[in-house]
Structures are given as C-alpha cells and as structure tokens.
Amino acid sequence: MTRSPDKPRRRLLSAVAGISLESALPATTFGQGTAGQEKSFLVAYFSRSGNTRVVAGLIHRAVDSDLFEILPAIPYPDEYLATVKQARQERDQGIERALKSKVPNIARYTTIFLGLPVWGETAPSIIRSFLAAHDLSGKTLIPFITHGGYGLGSSEAVIARHAPRARLRQAFSMQADQERQTMESVNSWMAKQSPALK
C-alpha cells in the first residue's frame, strides 16, 4: 500500500510548485552562457529531515542541473533533539563540520543553487564548511532556505560572509517545519494523556 504524503509535505510540494526560477536569474542569462553556450547549473543542498531535499529535487529538474548532496564526514545523530544540541554547540563555538566530499570540478559551474535549513537561527556549520571548501569567485549563488517558522535568522549574512566573491542573489525561503511541529504536537498530546496514565 502506498502511503500518502502528510499535510506538511503536501504544503511544501504545493508551495514549491509555484516557484519561478526564471525570476531568480536575469532574463538575459537564464539557461544561456556567453556566446550562446548553455550555462552549467549545480544544485547543492544539505537536508536532515528531507524538506530541503524536496526543494532541491524540484529545482534540479526545472533547470536540468547537476545535483550534489552536502554531507558531513561524521553524520549528525538520528535523534532530533540530539542534533539540535549538537548544532547549537557548533554554532556557539564556531565549529565548521568536516565535509564527506567536495564537488568535483566546481569551476565548470556558473550558477549554484545552495539549499539549507535554518538551524538555531542561522545556517548549519556544514554550510560554512561547504562555502569555505569551494572557490565560488564570480559564480552566481542562489540560496533556497527552509525554516521552522522563525524566519531566516542570520543565514543569508553567513552565506554572504563565507562567499564574498560570489554574485549572491536573493534567497527563496519557505516554512517547512514538519519535525518541530510533530515534536510539539506529540508533546502536547502526551501532556493531556498524562493524568490518565498515572
């Protein structure tokens, strides 16, 4: 039996379906390089729960790009709260998490869509690592950012600071808070159940 997607996932897919990628790039250059040559696109993304991965997949198909998943050398914990704790430590201590791998031949790409979730009101440390590990000088960098309802925080400023020689475009952002909503809903439900369980 095929399981139907849950409501947050359906909302995510519906919202992303309305993205106009052409509006993120100058009309004269979308899909075209210099002298009529086709531009080379890369969609690079980091996703823990899958929300950012869904957006990355849609952009990848829309612009016929290469797709690269940004992965840490040592994975984050499977448990949500353990990951939150670790992400806060990395943020507060300025730790840049090691990458599992780099993009082969980053020089061939002219436009990079960079996908990330907001963690602790900023970009995850693995995004800082990715930007530090790749020379994006002169490249068009277009962030797409998912968040849990608290907005983008300092994520755009982090990207700008770590990719100072890239041509940074305005980010696409959307709320995709499935994990946090699930946790809050279950905690609320369990609080109501606790008198009956005693």
Side-chain angles (χ1 to χ4, degrees), residues 62-188:
V63 298
D64 191 24
S65 68
D66 287 339
L67 189 64
F68 180 83
E69 183 173 9
I70 301 167
L71 295 170
I74 300 172
Y76 283 99
D78 289 335
E79 205 272 321
Y80 175 69
L81 290 177
T83 298
V84 169
K85 180 179 179 182
Q86 189 164 340
R88 283 184 183 144
Q89 290 173 340
E90 291 173 356
R91 177 197 65 192
D92 296 345
Q93 297 171 17
I95 296 169
E96 288 186 6
R97 198 167 179 85
L99 295 168
K100 182 175 181 179
S101 61
K102 292 172 59 176
V103 176
N105 194 15
I106 192 80
R108 72 180 292 261
Y109 301 106
T110 57
T111 301
I112 298 170
F113 291 86
L114 179 63
L116 60 137
V118 173
W119 282 8
E121 301 177 353
T122 191
S125 69
I126 194 71
I127 295 299
R128 298 195 311 267
S129 301
F130 176 84
L131 294 171
H134 297 88
D135 181 7
L136 304 183
S137 301
K139 299 184 185 302
T140 299
L141 183 60
I142 308 172
F144 57 99
I145 303 172
T146 60
H147 63 87
Y150 298 111
L152 300 183
S154 64
S155 57
E156 288 180 295
V158 168
I159 294 168
R161 189 165 60 248
H162 285 79
R165 292 183 295 278
R167 292 191 297 269
L168 188 60
R169 300 278 186 217
Q170 183 176 359
F172 167 78
S173 67
M174 67 176 297
Q175 183 174 341
D177 55 357
Q178 178 180 355
E179 231 168 346
R180 184 179 59 82
Q181 268 192 349
T182 298
M183 186 179 70
E184 290 177 356
S185 296
V186 171
N187 286 342
S188 174

